Amino acid sequence: MRGVTLRRYPDESFPKNIDFFDLKDFPIPTNLKENDLLIKVCYVSIDPVMRVWFSGAKTYIDTVHQGQVIPAFGCGVVAESKSKRFNKGDLVLGALDCADYCVRSANTIFKLPAVKSKHDPNLPLFLSVYGVTGITALKGLHQIPKENLPTKESKKTLVVSSAAGSTGSFALQIGKYWGYRTVGIVSSRDKKDFVLSLGADACVCYNDTLDSNGVVDTDKLTKLIKQAAPEGIDAMYDNSGEEVLDAVLPAMNKGAFIVLCGATATYYTWKNRGGLKNLSHFITKQIKAEGILYFGQKNAIMESFKEMNELVMGKHIQHKEEFINGLENVTLGLQKVFLGKNLGRVIVKLDNEVPLPKF
């Protein structure tokens, strides 16, 4: 079997320089412990949080060490089971490895509903609209208090940062379906066009506000946001943090609510964060914020699958995936995501026996 390992922690040359990883050969694990699963990995997704994992920081998964096979959210099929709850051939989802096979405790993995074969083209959608990203968008929006939700009598505005990404694009579309006036915030013009094609009422490109040092000018970005949301902002689904969040705060209405899902702006400089200069707006406008994390919450994903499936089948949500073929091209996927060249979810197909889906 083969696996992609972390040769050394990336420096500031990443992601233009991708030479921090190796593709190595390993023996397929054979000595499984009680409750272990040997999983044949079919697909893995490329997530912004992987940049934090590659720094050696401890997050909601164990620290990734140099020389280790790099982890990724993935789906696959059980090749061998030492658990009473899983059988050989079960399709599973979890934090797997960028490798042909990996071993995981059954306690960290859950069985996939609705798909019966690894050849089902819907399988990789459990790394997208039916997986952690889609469910996080849906469950996160459900955290918004009733008073911040739109009604026929009271129109509300929702702003979504990193709106062209996997989670952001789903949050924006669900918000639109719920009746919000939706405003996306993205980095580039092509992403702006993509977000508008999803039905957003307006979209702001923060690269239009960069100063001579390539840093977002929060005051300029605030002006653009206020132009896009003239009635003010009642709710925010934030995937960015830092300057983007900072720029939104002056445009928020009293009693606004923020769902804190991600902090992509800090993923390159997580040790040297700039902070929020507009933090006082939390006090003067009585803004509330709540951080969310659904990784590992099996019940949350299972409970939300039906609702998300109804949204997809009802054509209320578009899902966009970019598929890359082959374990040897995992690093190309990393580069695409971290250079901001992706629209929607980037998924790498590892198993030669499964199809390269076309949606």
Side-chain angles (χ1 to χ4, degrees):
M1 61 166 274
R2 300 177 304 162
V4 179
T5 63
L6 180 64
R7 183 192 310 155
R8 59 190 176 96
Y9 295 131
D11 56 28
E12 63 277 0
S13 67
F14 180 85
K16 289 185 178 180
N17 172 22
I18 203 72
D19 191 27
F20 298 94
F21 307 91
D22 292 307
L23 183 62
K24 292 186 175 181
D25 293 318
F26 297 91
I28 297 176
T30 54
N31 297 321
L32 272 63
K33 298 180 294 185
E34 183 177 356
N35 210 40
D36 276 353
L37 303 174
L38 176 65
I39 300 169
K40 171 64 173 174
V41 185
C42 297
Y43 302 92
V44 294
S45 59
I46 305 298
D47 292 84
V49 73
M50 293 171 79
R51 179 64 185 92
V52 182
W53 298 349
F54 298 159
S55 70
K58 182 172 176 57
T59 59
Y60 48 83
I61 68 168
D62 292 337
T63 299
V64 179
H65 298 286
Q66 296 178 85
Q68 178 182 336
V69 176
I70 61 175
F73 294 121
C75 55
V77 59
V78 175
E80 184 181 348
S81 174
K82 295 293 184 181
S83 167
K84 295 179 180 179
R85 295 185 292 111
F86 290 86
N87 297 313
K88 182 177 180 179
D90 284 344
L91 295 170
V92 295
L93 174 72
L96 306 182
D97 280 341
C98 292
D100 295 316
Y101 290 87
C102 69
V103 175
R104 290 293 184 269
S105 167
N107 296 332
T108 65
I109 299 296
F110 76 91
K111 201 177 302 184
L112 289 175
V115 290
K116 302 300 182 183
S117 167
K118 71 176 185 178
H119 301 286
D120 190 326
N122 289 311
L123 176 60
L125 295 186
F126 283 90
L127 296 175
S128 178
V129 65
Y130 296 135
V132 173
T133 51
I135 300 307
T136 297
L138 179 62
K139 295 286 285 187
L141 288 172
H142 276 305
Q143 298 302 113
I144 298 175
K146 184 178 180 180
E147 57 268 24
N148 296 89
L149 295 173
T151 64
K152 292 182 179 179
E153 298 76 25
S154 178
K155 303 298 181 182
K156 302 290 184 181
T157 296
L158 168 73
V159 65
V160 179
S161 60
S162 296
S166 184
T167 301
S169 62
F170 296 140
L172 186 138
Q173 292 178 85
I174 296 169
K176 182 69 176 179
Y177 177 65
W178 285 3
Y180 278 107
R181 184 179 190 277
T182 54
V183 178
I185 303 176
V186 297
S187 60
S188 60
R189 295 296 179 90
D190 59 333
K191 291 190 175 187
K192 178 177 179 178
D193 292 340
F194 171 63
V195 168
L196 292 174
S197 77
L198 297 177
D201 295 284
C203 190
V204 172
C205 178
Y206 62 75
N207 277 353
D208 292 343
T209 72
L210 298 182
D211 62 20
S212 58
N213 295 317
V215 177
V216 173
D217 185 315
T218 54
D219 293 333
K220 288 183 179 179
L221 184 54
T222 296
K223 290 180 180 179
L224 293 179
I225 293 168
K226 287 183 175 180
Q227 291 171 8
E231 302 300 319
I233 296 165
D234 303 288
M236 179 184 188
Y237 195 104
D238 184 34
N239 298 293
S240 298
E242 290 296 284
E243 297 93 346
V244 173
L245 173 59
D246 205 30
V248 171
L249 292 175
M252 302 202 90
N253 291 327
K254 184 177 180 180
F257 187 85
I258 304 172
V259 178
L260 298 171
C261 175
T264 57
T266 70
Y267 289 169
Y268 291 99
T269 56
W270 63 276
K271 290 184 178 179
N272 299 292
R273 294 188 287 267
L276 304 176
K277 69 177 183 180
N278 291 318
L279 191 63
S280 62
H281 286 271
F282 274 98
I283 301 169
T284 58
K285 296 180 179 179
Q286 300 170 48
I287 298 169
K288 296 180 177 64
E290 180 176 346
I292 59 169
L293 180 64
Y294 297 108
F295 170 74
Q297 296 189 26
K298 302 178 183 180
N299 290 339
I301 294 179
M302 297 299 289
E303 290 168 0
S304 300
F305 172 72
K306 181 179 179 181
E307 183 179 356
M308 184 62 81
N309 188 53
E310 289 174 352
L311 290 170
V312 174
M313 293 297 102
K315 300 188 183 303
H316 303 301
I317 287 185
Q318 302 176 49
H319 56 88
K320 183 174 179 61
E321 293 80 29
E322 295 186 54
F323 289 96
I324 295 174
N325 190 29
L327 183 62
E328 64 277 6
N329 291 318
V330 164
T331 52
L332 296 181
L334 292 170
Q335 196 167 46
K336 176 182 279 287
V337 170
F338 292 114
L339 286 175
K341 302 297 184 180
N342 63 302
L343 296 175
R345 192 67 155 163
V346 173
I347 297 174
V348 185
K349 183 180 82 73
L350 305 189
D351 188 341
N352 290 330
E353 295 181 358
V354 299
L356 191 64
K358 296 180 181 179
F359 293 102

